[in-house]
Amino acid sequence: YGVIDAFCARHPSFERLEGRMVVEVRPSMVNKGSAVPWVRGRAGADARIIALGDDVTDEHMFVALSGADEAVVVRHGDARPSHARWELDGTDEVHELLAWIHGLRSGQTPPPTVLPREVVPKTPAEQNASHDLVVISNRLPELRSFEGEEGGRKRNVGGLVSALEPALRARGGMWLGWSGRTVPDGQQIESGLLEDVGGESGGEQRTVQLASLDYKESWYRSYYGGFCNGTLWPLFHSFPSRVTFKDDDWRAYVEVHEAFADVTTRLAGPRSMLWAHDYHLLLFARAMRRRGHAGPIGHFLHIPFPSFDIFSMLPWATEVLDAMLDYDLLGFHTPGHVANFLHCASALLPAKVADDVVQHRGRSCHVAAMPIGILPDAFQEPPEPSAVDEIEGLMRSLGDAQLVLGVDRLDYTKGIPERLIAFGRLLEMQPEWRRKVSLVQVSVPSRADVPLYAEQRATIESIVGRINGEFGEASWVPIRYLYRSYPRAQLAQLYRAARVGYVTPLRDGMNLVAKEYVAAQDSENPGVLLLSQFAGAAVEMREAVLTNPYHADGMARDLDRALRMGLEERRARHSRLLASVQRSNAVTWAEGFLDALAACR
């Protein structure tokens, strides 16, 4: 998956699509539906097409058929929703059907041994009754399993998926998000149910149903690339010089919320619990209230909420705040983010603001700090042999040097250039560390098609080259820069091997790498977490060595302190940090939010 994601990051015109038993990499504008007009052009305009398919990748083909054609979904013990009118069970029935058709075309009249059965679609009432909870986010999660190298079932999941999946399974819930596909502006977008993903919950087999919608090409440019990542992302992270304000981007932002609300209204009941996520969906509750939704709606913001001086730069600040107050519950990572939001609401709206509730237009919106966690035990699981070999090979290449480790998505908010410069200052200020310490910086590819991020990568590589050229020797490389991603098992190995976890974003909503690093440590000989004071995690993790990433000399001194820290102090700090990480994990965070949301109503 890491190789595929890295390829797609370098080639944004390609996308990864998960099938039932395949991973498909294809040009974003090409799918199996493209084959239908090609076949019809060669078979003649009057030809009727019978299309058979057994995977989610075949649904584009079914949708592209005309009314005179027939679509047949081939089941393998599943009952996922499909655009097909007919269904068969397994490949044996497909063979029997094709043999019968061949016999008819050959002039024979054999009796059919099997014929497709008509798919009985679920009624809206049946669909709505099964979903007490609907999660809405910009992108869909990866919930399917695949075969690992040792024959076991494996999955690559992120922090949000780890947190929400148990809650969704317990409630038989649905997750709605962008499909990852874009369509030309003049073309009808596709939306609706995709499939059920099974799993165990309390001894009972429960499923999470996935639903999606496509984006228009203009939405991808103006909503996702424009307002979300060109306006809200830098503004909320307090980088005003990087912010762009465009009326077209704002209009696209509003339009996409209406599209999400239209799909949600079709798939969810009028009183279902809805939970929207992050800066992509700040207006979602307003769009749902206009459609008459009477159930509880909550939102969690995974990035910081800025101060009044920064937020008020947004030309649509009042409208965004007004729409956010249509939620019943707003969750933030830290009390500071909550305070910023309440200050903005009281300054920009005629709202009555208390410690944890805002009353506005006859509604009450509850506001709370709910820092997200991880699943700490997952970072103590033994890795597969192949994963061990790769990481051990990397460690051997470092020789006797102690490992300082940075792991980040490539983004200007993560402070990677500042971190590298501070490491260089350490080697300059404390020359005794030369040949005794090496920095490994893992940068996960992100938004490679955006010039700003390509510029960030070039800056980082330039700094790495300068420091290695200035201080490196034939037998020692100060900085190893890895532009790639690692699966969790290998990350846990790297975390455990590192004497210092170098987590120094310039601004971050939380930063789960800090918690992952602590969870992965050997409690008998733990490393030291060097953490930016501007990461949301710093509020909980006071036993880390806190540092100011804007002050290179100061961060170099803090790094020196972390490297020199004795075993007794390292154990004491780690014990308290681990207790904090275990006290509020991903599952308790999700259940706590949902309990609070239910209580609001």
Side-chain angles (χ1 to χ4, degrees):
Y1 279 82
V3 173
I4 294 174
D5 289 343
F7 173 85
C8 292
R10 292 193 305 270
H11 302 85
S13 60
F14 285 80
E15 65 178 357
R16 185 185 82 187
L17 184 69
E18 303 291 340
R20 193 178 63 85
M21 297 182 68
V22 300
V23 178
E24 183 174 308
V25 180
R26 68 186 189 193
S28 301
M29 299 307 299
V30 175
N31 56 55
K32 291 184 179 179
S34 307
V36 172
W38 183 87
V39 171
R40 197 180 307 281
R42 281 149 183 79
D46 296 331
R48 296 182 63 194
I49 297 174
I50 300 176
L52 298 96
D54 67 345
D55 211 333
V56 293
T57 60
D58 298 306
E59 294 297 322
H60 290 96
M61 174 175 61
F62 297 159
V63 171
L65 298 173
S66 70
D69 302 324
E70 300 294 351
V72 184
V73 60
V74 182
R75 305 290 192 187
H76 297 277
D78 63 289
R80 65 173 178 85
S82 174
H83 292 93
R85 179 184 174 188
W86 308 96
E87 65 182 6
L88 291 170
D89 288 329
T91 54
D92 289 342
E93 289 195 356
V94 173
H95 293 157
E96 293 175 23
L97 174 66
L98 294 177
W100 178 67
I101 293 175
H102 180 266
L104 288 177
R105 307 237 348 157
S106 303
Q108 306 171 19
T109 56
T113 55
V114 62
L115 286 176
R117 295 165 295 281
E118 190 162 9
V119 175
V120 179
K122 292 182 179 180
T123 66
E126 290 172 332
Q127 291 178 0
N128 294 340
S130 63
H131 301 300
D132 295 327
L133 170 65
V134 180
V135 168
I136 307 95
S137 65
N138 175 58
R139 288 299 295 264
L140 280 174
E142 176 50 63
L143 298 178
R144 286 168 291 243
S145 299
F146 60 91
E147 292 294 336
E149 294 183 10
E150 303 301 312
R153 300 299 290 175
K154 305 291 182 181
R155 292 189 303 133
N156 291 321
V157 298
L160 183 60
V161 177
S162 299
L164 294 184
E165 184 183 2
L168 282 163
R169 291 205 190 282
R171 295 162 175 80
M174 173 191 289
W175 195 320
L176 168 65
W178 174 36
S179 65
R181 297 184 296 266
T182 59
V183 300
D185 282 15
Q187 182 176 322
Q188 182 71 29
I189 66 169
E190 296 179 25
S191 64
L193 304 179
L194 291 180
E195 61 181 302
D196 291 344
V197 185
E200 296 287 337
S201 178
E204 179 183 359
Q205 185 77 11
R206 302 298 297 270
T207 63
V208 176
Q209 190 166 63
L210 303 181
S212 73
L213 76 162
D214 296 343
Y215 283 173
K216 298 177 183 178
E217 291 178 352
S218 61
W219 289 354
Y220 182 79
R221 291 191 306 271
S222 298
Y223 160 78
Y224 181 70
F227 200 80
C228 289
N229 292 319
T231 301
L232 294 180
W233 178 266
L235 188 74
F236 279 38
H237 283 89
S238 302
F239 287 88
S241 63
R242 297 181 181 269
V243 177
T244 59
F245 298 123
K246 296 180 180 178
D247 289 352
D248 287 346
D249 293 351
W250 167 250
R251 283 190 287 268
Y253 190 72
V254 173
E255 189 175 348
V256 171
H257 280 79
E258 297 299 320
F260 267 106
D262 284 341
V263 176
T264 304
T265 302
R266 293 200 303 269
L267 299 178
R271 295 188 177 274
S272 295
M273 181 180 288
L274 308 179
W275 188 2
H277 286 268
D278 225 355
Y279 59 105
H280 310 89
L281 293 165
L282 298 178
L283 313 182
F284 178 74
R286 181 181 68 177
M288 291 303 299
R289 298 301 183 200
R290 288 175 175 173
R291 286 160 176 78
H293 189 82
I297 311 178
H299 180 279
F300 191 86
L301 185 66
H302 293 266
I303 64 175
F305 195 90
S307 66
F308 171 76
D309 288 345
I310 296 293
F311 183 74
S312 60
M313 292 174 59
L314 183 67
W316 307 277
T318 301
E319 189 165 354
V320 169
L321 281 177
D322 187 83
M324 291 179 71
L325 292 176
D326 274 325
Y327 284 103
D328 294 291
L329 175 63
L330 293 171
F332 302 87
H333 281 303
T334 72
H337 301 160
V338 171
N340 286 345
F341 176 81
L342 294 177
H343 181 196
C344 291
S346 63
L348 296 175
L349 296 174
K352 183 178 179 181
V353 178
D355 290 340
D356 61 353
V357 67
V358 180
Q359 294 181 348
H360 182 54
R361 292 187 283 101
R363 293 187 54 82
S364 294
C365 174
H366 296 261
V367 185
M370 301 178 174
I372 193 172
I374 62 170
L375 298 178
D377 292 346
F379 290 88
Q380 290 289 337
E381 294 176 355
E384 297 176 356
S386 60
V388 171
D389 292 343
E390 181 177 357
I391 300 304
E392 287 185 348
L394 173 61
M395 294 306 300
R396 284 193 298 270
S397 72
L398 300 182
D400 296 330
Q402 296 186 52
L403 171 61
V404 175
L405 178 66
V407 177
D408 306 88
R409 185 171 57 83
L410 184 65
D411 190 278
Y412 56 82
T413 65
K414 301 301 182 182
I416 300 174
E418 291 79 3
R419 178 183 315 164
L420 298 173
I421 291 170
F423 183 77
R425 288 291 292 146
L426 171 73
L427 301 179
E428 184 178 352
M429 296 163 60
Q430 304 286 347
E432 64 267 29
W433 283 118
R434 299 175 191 178
R435 296 177 300 281
K436 295 181 181 179
V437 64
S438 290
L439 168 62
V440 171
Q441 174 61 48
V442 178
S443 293
V444 179
S446 175
R447 304 171 187 165
D449 57 328
V450 179
L452 186 62
Y453 287 79
E455 177 186 334
Q456 178 81 355
R457 180 183 177 186
T459 298
I460 291 169
E461 292 173 351
S462 175
I463 296 172
V464 170
R466 177 181 62 79
I467 293 175
N468 284 343
E470 183 175 353
F471 299 104
E473 300 177 6
S475 60
W476 172 66
V477 178
I479 301 176
R480 300 291 181 94
Y481 177 66
L482 305 174
Y483 182 66
R484 56 164 295 183
S485 60
Y486 282 98
R488 183 174 61 197
Q490 289 181 308
L491 276 180
Q493 277 185 277
L494 280 171
Y495 290 148
R496 197 169 299 118
R499 173 54 64 91
V500 176
Y502 204 9
V503 187
T504 57
L506 302 177
R507 186 79 60 178
D508 223 336
M510 173 52 63
N511 196 297
L512 295 182
V513 169
K515 297 187 176 185
E516 293 171 357
Y517 175 79
V518 169
Q521 294 305 298
D522 176 1
S523 59
E524 294 302 313
N525 187 24
V528 179
L529 175 62
L530 181 61
L531 178 63
S532 167
Q533 67 191 65
F534 302 114
V539 175
E540 300 174 90
M541 310 181 81
R542 307 304 297 179
E543 295 301 322
V545 176
L546 299 182
T547 192
N548 181 352
Y550 291 94
H551 183 202
D553 288 359
M555 190 153 59
R557 286 191 290 269
D558 290 334
L559 181 55
D560 175 69
R561 175 189 171 195
L563 286 165
R564 296 182 189 275
M565 190 175 293
L567 179 60
E568 184 177 349
E569 184 179 357
R570 285 190 279 122
R571 284 177 175 172
R573 286 175 177 269
H574 174 260
S575 176
R576 291 189 285 269
L577 286 170
L578 183 60
S580 173
V581 170
Q582 292 175 332
R583 185 165 51 249
S584 178
N585 62 40
V587 174
T588 59
W589 169 81
E591 291 294 345
F593 186 97
L594 292 172
D595 289 345
L597 179 56
C600 289
R601 303 291 286 186

